[in-house]
Amino acid sequence: MTPTHLLFDRIDEPGLNTLQGYEKRGGYSALRKAFAIPQAAIVEEISASGLRGRGGAGFKMGQKASFLPKGEMAKYLVCNADESEPGTFKDRELMQKCPHMLIEGMIITTFATGINHAFIYIRGEYELQADILEAAIAEAEAAGFIGENILGSGHSLKLVLHRGAGAYICGEETGLLDSLEGKRGNPRLKPPFPAIEGLYAGPTLVNNVETLATVPTIINMGGAEYAKIGTEGSTGTKLVSVSGDVQRPGNYEIVLGTSSREIIFDLCGGPKPGRTVKMWFPGGSSSPVLLEEDLDVAYDFDTLAKAGSMLGSGAIIVVDDTHSALEVAQKLTKFYAHESCGKCVPCREGTNWTHKMLARIESGEATPMDLDILASVQTQIIGNCLCVLGDAMAMPVGSIVAKFRDELEAEIEAASERANTVPVAPVQDAIPVGAH
Amino acid sequence: MSYFDKRPPVKRYEHGSRVPGWDEAVDLTKPPATVPDPALTPVPAELREKIEAAMALYPDSKSASIPALHLAQQHHGWCSPEAIEQVACVMQLTPAYLTSVASFYDMFALTPKPKHDVYVCTNISCSLLGADEFYEQMCASAHGHEDIGVRGFECLGACDIGPMASVNGEYVGPLNLFDAQLIVEDLEAGRPVLEHKQLRNRAVADPQGRVADWTGIDPVGQEG
Ligand SMILES: Cc1cc2nc3c(=O)[nH]c(=O)nc-3n(C[C@H](O)[C@H](O)[C@H](O)COP(=O)(O)O)c2cc1C
Ligand code: FES
């Protein structure tokens, strides 16, 4: 039988967050195994596994690693533990309960790619998880897994935990790199991609926590064996964070290709009795929404893309029929308007104006024509910025306007009737200066 | 009456624009702020030591600006001009550079802030479950407690325990309206906050991830 739980199997075991607990389970055996095979063969194993990035874009990890220039030079590995995509909280559980799995994955990855400097960029709010990781790194150093000439392999590694300070954009890989260099977290123009010119202008591999934590498993079971799990284009298992209107929210490990209905209903209990799924975000708040009729789509990268959405970070947010589409859209736009770094005009202005336009619907000043303008603003953001933060608002908001147009029109009508009978409140700035 | 007549006038700022902009112009007659002179800028020894240790971790010491600002904020309570000046002195950067960095990130306070931070998540998953009501209740309960700062925050990465809050970095949830008062009481008494709702003690939701001898809190919706 193919295994269904590679990362989360009995993760609650007390003491698993310590080196001793992890080693008792065979931890760091993959590292020893990796040191015995040629570096290029490790990258090949990862490529053969078909592992796709778990942070959002779903890019193949083996391919990205192979883009790094070969030879002696200052190269860097950066683990993206910023985890700020609304709805996402899987890396948190993994880092808190099994930090050594991530550390082992990072050591193997640096060995395979000839990297001697690695960083974990963790969001500043994750204080508990950062403390646990820091302790785990110290344990690994004391045990000789990190440092000079690790286990006699000739490989050396310095691993630094870096705490952020609260900015969604620092999850975007180039914004993260700027932030790690001690600057404001503004994204960079790509190309050059980080694999060619990243941190301190050196070649840099950026991967998500879950991606890197999967590496030891791949080394242990072999890439080809790992690729048998899941579907052809989406191999392996995936941690999904389910939240919102479900009865049993939380993190679950699923085999890619599982039906979404099974995740939302069988695992998470679905919405409360008597309520129905109105819409759901399959991959974090940045993914276009799907409806109840889409619940049977298989949860994997390709099927979700075909259904018009994306797997993203693996965060399912369920919205039931007690909430209005306007309310959901407003929450989204407030977030993206606040988090836009301000570097590119379409995103900075587009997110703010979209938020104000939605506020106008609520206050009764909008006309149905505003919905067309709203939709056109979204299309003008997409593809026109240095990074996809703006797109990350435009896609879900665009999909809500398209799929709930009737409801929004009715809301416009009702609100303007209300406004005609009740005096209109003065227009407030949607985002007051300096407010959060 | 046409639609346009019904629209209220657009609110404008004093300077005539519809966007806030800056109210006060920069005084260009003043000399530009430079890197502080170590001889003239006293820095507490402990803070200096910690900042220097952080700088040593990176190939380029400038990378330590965020860790250094965290340290200075812990030391001074907020990123005061004095705190920024001290970091600038140790890191040999200009205060303006560090201010620009600090102002980018939500966790740095460039104005004095209360001792206790209560970040209430008001993002999508939590708000579907009543976070906005909790935020209002939290503000009301903390009213009059000068040392408690309540702030609406974007997704804190714990939507599984929504509605939730981070109280001085400790994640607690799911919260109901009564918890607001309890948080205030725990903070004022100097106790750990809502111990029975702390995320650190919660089991994973996935049944395969769980163990029989678990002593902490069961996942939301799976209690019992
Ligand atoms: C606005 C924005 C926010 C992002 N936030 C995160 C994040 O919090 N964590 C993450 O791993 N990737 C995030 N990403 C994706 C990263 O840019 C990058 O694709 C990823 O870290 C690569 O790792 P992977 O290939 O292992 O998925 C974000 C992307 C964007 C555009
Ligand atoms: S939405 Fe509140 S923690 Fe994610």
Side-chain angles (χ1 to χ4, degrees):
Chain A
M1 207 187 86
T2 47
T4 56
H5 282 67
L6 304 173
L7 303 173
F8 262 8
D9 190 33
R10 288 173 298 125
I11 196 168
D12 270 342
E13 199 169 290
L16 186 59
N17 63 347
T18 63
L19 181 61
Q20 203 193 2
Y22 185 60
E23 282 196 299
K24 206 165 69 191
R25 268 215 198 168
Y28 288 103
S29 62
L31 180 63
R32 291 197 168 82
K33 195 171 164 189
F35 280 152
I37 41 183
Q39 288 163 299
I42 302 174
V43 178
E44 267 168 39
E45 282 300 324
I46 297 173
S47 297
S49 75
L51 176 67
R52 293 176 69 163
R54 305 307 200 214
F59 197 80
K60 289 215 160 111
M61 177 181 174
Q63 204 176 353
K64 195 153 52 170
S66 68
F67 289 157
L68 288 174
K70 312 276 178 296
E72 286 290 313
M73 64 185 89
K75 292 185 261 188
Y76 304 94
L77 170 67
V78 178
C79 168
N80 188 342
D82 191 61
E83 192 156 73
S84 319
E85 168 83 11
T88 317
F89 45 88
K90 64 193 175 67
D91 299 341
R92 179 203 84 208
E93 194 126 35
L94 200 60
M95 292 187 287
Q96 179 182 331
K97 296 184 172 169
C98 198
H100 284 285
M101 197 189 283
L102 168 62
I103 294 171
E104 185 180 9
M106 290 185 73
I107 306 170
I108 297 173
T109 307
T110 54
F111 172 66
T113 48
I115 292 172
N116 304 112
H117 263 286
F119 297 91
I120 301 176
Y121 186 107
I122 188 167
R123 64 180 297 182
E125 296 89 343
Y126 279 177
E127 291 180 28
L128 169 68
Q129 292 72 16
D131 291 346
I132 290 175
L133 269 173
E134 221 153 44
I137 293 170
E139 275 182 319
E141 267 171 11
F145 294 130
I146 298 175
E148 299 287 317
N149 191 13
I150 301 164
L151 306 179
S153 64
H155 177 55
S156 301
L157 175 66
K158 186 170 172 183
L159 176 56
V160 174
L161 180 82
H162 183 95
R163 297 172 200 235
Y168 170 59
I169 192 59
C170 294
E172 198 281 332
E173 53 188 5
T174 59
L176 185 153
L177 294 177
D178 260 30
S179 178
L180 190 49
E181 289 179 0
K183 305 175 186 152
R184 293 162 69 89
N186 290 321
R188 304 173 179 174
L189 179 67
K190 288 175 274 190
F193 287 94
I196 306 300
E197 202 179 309
L199 189 64
Y200 312 126
T204 307
L205 184 62
V206 185
N207 274 121
N208 172 258
V209 172
E210 188 188 343
T211 317
L212 290 166
T214 306
V215 170
T217 309
I218 291 172
I219 298 303
N220 273 331
M221 67 194 291
E225 204 55 35
Y226 183 88
K228 286 185 190 157
I229 308 170
T231 70
E232 202 185 325
S234 310
T235 57
T237 62
K238 175 85 188 80
L239 303 182
V240 289
S241 309
V242 192
S243 65
D245 295 316
V246 289
Q247 298 186 62
R248 292 190 293 275
N251 283 315
Y252 296 85
E253 183 167 2
I254 57 126
V255 174
L256 283 165
T258 305
S259 124
S260 306
R261 187 184 295 278
E262 215 176 305
I263 301 171
I264 295 174
F265 282 86
D266 298 355
L267 287 175
C268 303
K272 282 194 188 137
R275 300 187 185 178
T276 56
V277 175
K278 176 167 180 164
M279 61 175 119
W280 56 289
F281 297 79
S285 69
S286 306
S287 57
V289 296
L290 294 177
L291 305 175
E292 185 172 26
E293 67 222 37
D294 303 312
L295 277 171
D296 288 312
V297 297
Y299 197 79
D300 64 59
F301 289 98
D302 307 321
T303 315
L304 284 167
K306 239 183 266 153
S309 190
M310 59 192 221
L311 186 135
S313 59
I316 300 178
I317 306 170
V318 179
V319 181
D320 74 21
D321 56 350
T322 59
H323 302 282
S324 72
L326 179 62
E327 168 193 344
V328 173
Q330 276 183 300
K331 276 288 165 194
L332 294 180
T333 55
K334 175 173 157 285
F335 170 74
Y336 291 100
H338 176 206
E339 298 294 345
S340 172
C341 81
K343 192 167 177 175
C344 311
V345 179
C347 169
R348 182 184 66 223
E349 298 300 316
T351 51
N352 271 289
W353 277 108
T354 306
H355 189 63
K356 290 180 188 175
M357 287 163 79
L358 290 171
R360 231 161 51 187
I361 296 184
E362 198 182 17
S363 62
E365 302 154 74
T367 65
M369 194 180 78
D370 283 277
L371 290 179
D372 294 325
I373 303 173
L374 201 64
S376 86
V377 169
Q378 310 315 312
T379 57
Q380 289 171 56
I381 295 173
I382 293 177
N384 289 332
C385 303
L386 288 180
C387 88
V388 294
L389 187 144
D391 302 32
M393 176 203 72
M395 292 187 297
V397 170
S399 74
I400 289 175
V401 173
K403 292 182 179 178
F404 294 92
R405 186 157 181 129
D406 293 346
E407 182 187 323
L408 290 169
E409 279 182 8
E411 182 64 39
I412 289 173
E413 185 94 6
S416 73
E417 259 167 41
R418 275 201 306 273
N420 270 338
T421 46
V422 194
V424 184
V427 187
Q428 291 285 324
D429 282 288
I431 309 293
V433 208
H436 290 283
Chain B
M1 201 166 67
S2 87
Y3 161 71
F4 289 100
D5 299 326
K6 273 192 336 202
R7 284 172 59 161
V10 173
K11 189 181 143 196
R12 287 181 188 274
Y13 285 83
E14 267 174 30
H15 43 63
S17 169
R18 289 179 298 181
V19 288
W22 284 271
D23 290 331
E24 281 171 45
V26 173
D27 185 354
L28 292 174
T29 58
K30 280 194 198 157
T34 48
V35 176
D37 182 349
L40 304 173
T41 318
V43 182
E46 190 197 349
L47 181 61
R48 172 189 294 279
E49 219 169 87
K50 285 186 184 163
I51 295 176
E52 282 173 350
M55 288 162 69
L57 291 174
Y58 302 90
D60 177 354
S61 64
K62 206 166 145 188
S63 279
S65 63
I66 293 175
L69 287 165
H70 273 304
L71 291 166
Q73 176 154 308
Q74 274 159 22
H75 189 94
H76 291 272
W78 59 292
C79 288
S80 60
E82 189 194 0
I84 299 243
E85 185 94 358
Q86 291 175 358
V87 176
C89 175
V90 180
M91 294 190 70
Q92 287 296 293
L93 296 167
T94 62
Y97 175 81
L98 286 168
T99 308
S100 85
V101 171
S103 63
F104 190 84
Y105 299 94
D106 284 349
M107 290 174 78
F108 295 130
L110 286 161
T111 48
K113 73 169 186 66
K115 180 165 149 234
H116 299 297
D117 292 315
V118 181
Y119 298 163
V120 179
C121 171
T122 53
N123 208 309
I124 179 132
S125 298
C126 287
S127 74
L128 292 172
L129 303 169
D132 295 304
E133 293 77 19
F134 178 79
Y135 172 67
E136 272 169 31
Q137 182 63 43
M138 192 66 231
C139 291
S141 298
H143 187 76
H145 297 262
E146 304 272 289
D147 55 346
I148 301 179
V150 182
R151 208 169 133 183
F153 222 81
E154 301 302 353
C155 178
L156 284 156
C159 331
D160 46 343
I161 56 164
M164 61 79 60
S166 163
V167 182
N168 290 335
E170 186 76 56
Y171 279 27
V172 288
L175 302 169
N176 58 42
L177 296 184
F178 300 108
D179 288 327
Q181 187 57 31
L182 297 180
I183 289 176
V184 172
E185 283 167 19
D186 284 343
L187 282 176
E188 294 299 358
R191 284 190 296 258
V193 175
L194 294 185
E195 255 183 317
H196 61 296
K197 291 198 173 181
Q198 289 183 358
L199 179 74
R200 65 169 73 224
N201 299 322
R202 211 173 264 283
V204 66
D206 194 322
Q208 282 248 131
R210 310 198 51 194
V211 288
D213 53 350
W214 178 254
T215 51
I217 320 168
D218 288 327
V220 176
Q222 301 186 40
E223 292 94 348

